[in-house]
Amino acid sequence: MQVTTVHHAPAGTDHTVIGAASGLLGQYRAAPDEAFFASPTRTLLAEGVHARVPQDGRPLADRVADTLARARRDGIEHPLVVGAVAFDHDSRAELAVPARLRTSGALRDDPLIALPAPAADRIDWDVRPLPAPEAYGAGVAEAVERLQGGELSKVVLARTLELHADRPLDLPAILQRLARRDPGGYTFGVPAGGGRTLIGASPELLLSRRGTAVVANPLAGSVPRSADLGEDVRRAAALLESPKDLHEHAFVVDAIRTALAPYCRTLDVPERPTLVRTAAMWHLATTITAELADPAVSALELAVALHPTPAVCGSPTPLAREAIRAIEPFDRGLYAGMVGWGDADGDGEWVVTLRCAEADERTLRVFAGAGVVAESRPEAELAETSAKFRTFLDAAGVPR
C-alpha cells in the first residue's frame, strides 16, 4: 500500500493508489493528538500537534490565520489546521496544526473500502435520553406555538442519548463502520477537548473552497429510508413534493445565498432541490456554486459567515438561538458546529457536525436534531431524530 507521507501537503494533493485511503482509515487510533477527516475529494490523517489555535476573544478566522502564519514561519511549507468548531463558534474551537500529516484520495474511490468493517462488540448499554421523548415532543409543540405566532420561521431542536458501556469502547472500529457504510460522505474523528473524541459521519457540506471556486451543499428536509425498495422510492418521491419539507429547505438555501452574495463575483443557485441519500435517510439538497470576488477570503471566513445556517439553528437566527437555549436542556458543544480543515492558502472543506457523538473511554453522547416549522408535528420530529440516531447507533452496535 502506498500512502503519501509528508509534514504537510498542498490542499490539491490527489492520490488514487488502491488501498491508500482505507489504509489511513485503518491506522486511525483515536489518540488525543490525532485527527481523521475524509471527504469525497480527499482523506487526511493528522498526527501530533505542532500548534493549537488559541481560545481567546479574537475572531476565529483571525486566530486561525495567525496560527497558520506562525507555522509557515516555523518552516512548514503547506500548513493547515484540522478539527472542530462549536455550534457557538465564538465560544470554542478545537483546531490544531498537526506535526505530521498523511493524505490520500477519497475513500469512495478506494475499492478496498467495500471490505467489511470489524463487527461490533456485544456491549451491555445503559441508554439515557436527554430530554425524555415526551419532553422533546413538548418542546416541539412549544416551538410550533412560537412559529404560528409569527415570532419565528423555523427552529431546529435537538436531543441527545447518553450511552454508558460496560467496557472500554473501540472508537476506531466505530469510525470504520461509519466510513464503510457511507464512504461518499464526510467521516471524521477529531479531538473534542478534555480527553474526549468527536466522531461521526456527516452528509452535509457547509462550504468548500479551492482557489476562487466555492461550493455549498445545504441539506434540509428529511425522511427515513426503508428496507423495502418500493417503499424507499415512494418516500424519496414524496419528499421531493412535500410542501413542509420544501418550505423548510427554502429557508436554508435563501440564507446561504444571502450570506455568500457579498463575497462572490458569480453565484449559481438551482431553482429546485435534488435528493441525497445516506444509509439511513433521504435528504433534500441544493448544490450552490460560486466564484469569489476576492481570492484572499478563506474557506473558514466564508464558513463562519454562513454558520449557523437555518439547517441547524433556524430563522431568523438570533430568535432561533434564543428558542434553542430556552427549550433544549443541554449545551450542544461541538454538535451542529463545523468540522474539517483549512490551509494557509485559504482552501478548505468545512462540514456541518451531524450524525455524531462525543466519546470518552466508556461513554457516548449521541446527537440528532429536526427542523421545526409551523406545520410540524411532535411525533414526526421525534421519529425523524430517532431515524437520524440510527446512523451512529448502528455503527456503535447498539440494538434497535
Side-chain angles (χ1 to χ4, degrees), residues 111-206:
L112 299 189
I113 200 64
L115 296 175
D121 294 333
R122 297 181 68 87
I123 292 175
D124 184 12
W125 294 98
D126 175 29
V127 183
R128 303 173 186 175
L130 180 69
E134 59 272 17
Y136 180 77
V140 172
E142 179 184 340
V144 168
E145 280 189 24
R146 297 188 186 205
L147 289 154
Q148 292 176 342
E151 179 183 348
L152 291 163
S153 300
K154 175 185 175 180
V155 64
V156 179
L157 294 181
R159 63 189 185 104
T160 72
L161 298 177
E162 295 183 354
L163 296 94
H164 300 268
D166 62 348
R167 68 192 70 182
L169 298 170
D170 188 346
L171 297 183
I174 292 175
L175 189 71
Q176 285 261 359
R177 289 190 286 274
L178 286 168
R180 292 181 186 276
R181 192 178 189 206
D182 281 313
Y186 300 87
T187 309
F188 51 88
V190 300
R196 298 182 304 277
T197 300
L198 177 70
I199 186 169
S202 176
E204 183 169 1
L205 173 68
L206 178 64

Side-chain angles (χ1 to χ4, degrees), residues 301-313:
E301 288 176 82
L302 294 168
V304 168
L306 298 184
H307 178 73
T309 74
V312 294
C313 182

Side-chain angles (χ1 to χ4, degrees), residues 45-385:
L45 180 63
E47 299 165 305
V49 174
H50 175 81
R52 296 190 188 279
V53 174
Q55 311 272 10
D56 59 35
R58 291 177 297 151
L60 176 61
D62 291 348
R63 285 181 276 146
V64 168
D66 287 351
T67 303
L68 290 169
R70 286 197 303 273
R72 190 169 258 171
R73 289 196 295 272
D74 291 343
I76 296 179
E77 187 176 357
H78 299 287
L80 59 74
V81 295
V82 62
V85 179
F87 174 68
D88 181 359
H89 58 73
D90 291 328
S91 68
R92 182 177 164 206
E94 301 289 342
L95 298 171
V97 177
R100 183 174 178 234
L101 181 71
R102 290 187 283 168
T103 72
S104 75
L107 283 175
R108 68 177 181 183
D109 297 331
D110 184 347
L112 299 189
I113 200 64
L115 296 175
D121 294 333
R122 297 181 68 87
I123 292 175
D124 184 12
W125 294 98
D126 175 29
V127 183
R128 303 173 186 175
L130 180 69
E134 59 272 17
Y136 180 77
V140 172
E142 179 184 340
V144 168
E145 280 189 24
R146 297 188 186 205
L147 289 154
Q148 292 176 342
E151 179 183 348
L152 291 163
S153 300
K154 175 185 175 180
V155 64
V156 179
L157 294 181
R159 63 189 185 104
T160 72
L161 298 177
E162 295 183 354
L163 296 94
H164 300 268
D166 62 348
R167 68 192 70 182
L169 298 170
D170 188 346
L171 297 183
I174 292 175
L175 189 71
Q176 285 261 359
R177 289 190 286 274
L178 286 168
R180 292 181 186 276
R181 192 178 189 206
D182 281 313
Y186 300 87
T187 309
F188 51 88
V190 300
R196 298 182 304 277
T197 300
L198 177 70
I199 186 169
S202 176
E204 183 169 1
L205 173 68
L206 178 64
L207 182 131
S208 69
R209 196 208 90 161
R210 186 168 182 177
T212 58
V214 173
V215 179
N217 187 214
L219 309 184
S222 307
V223 68
R225 301 285 304 276
S226 172
D228 177 82
L229 178 59
E231 173 62 13
D232 195 46
V233 172
R234 188 199 66 77
R235 291 182 185 185
L239 181 62
L240 272 174
E241 301 300 328
S242 165
K244 180 259 186 187
D245 291 288
L246 290 169
H247 182 56
E248 179 185 341
H249 189 80
F251 280 127
V252 181
V253 172
D254 288 345
I256 290 179
R257 177 196 287 113
T258 300
L260 280 180
Y263 299 95
C264 298
R265 184 168 57 82
T266 64
L267 185 60
D268 181 29
V269 183
E271 290 186 6
R272 286 185 61 84
T274 57
L275 288 171
V276 165
R277 65 182 179 185
T278 68
M281 303 291 295
W282 286 104
H283 300 281
L284 293 178
T286 296
T287 300
I288 299 171
T289 56
E291 190 77 17
L292 281 178
D294 180 359
V297 177
S298 71
L300 181 60
E301 288 176 82
L302 294 168
V304 168
L306 298 184
H307 178 73
T309 74
V312 294
C313 182
S315 179
T317 301
L319 293 178
R321 279 182 182 273
E322 289 179 14
I324 289 168
R325 281 193 286 263
I327 296 172
E328 289 183 358
F330 58 89
D331 180 358
R332 291 187 174 188
L334 296 174
Y335 166 69
M338 50 190 182
V339 59
W341 64 273
D343 68 17
D345 295 326
D347 289 340
E349 293 176 296
W350 297 99
V351 305
V352 184
T353 311
L354 304 172
R355 313 297 183 270
C356 65
E358 285 199 21
D360 58 25
E361 186 181 16
R362 293 173 181 254
T363 303
L364 295 171
R365 192 179 191 196
V366 188
F367 299 85
V372 181
V373 293
E375 302 87 356
S376 292
R377 295 177 293 111
E379 61 272 22
E381 307 309 336
L382 184 65
E384 181 176 325
T385 54

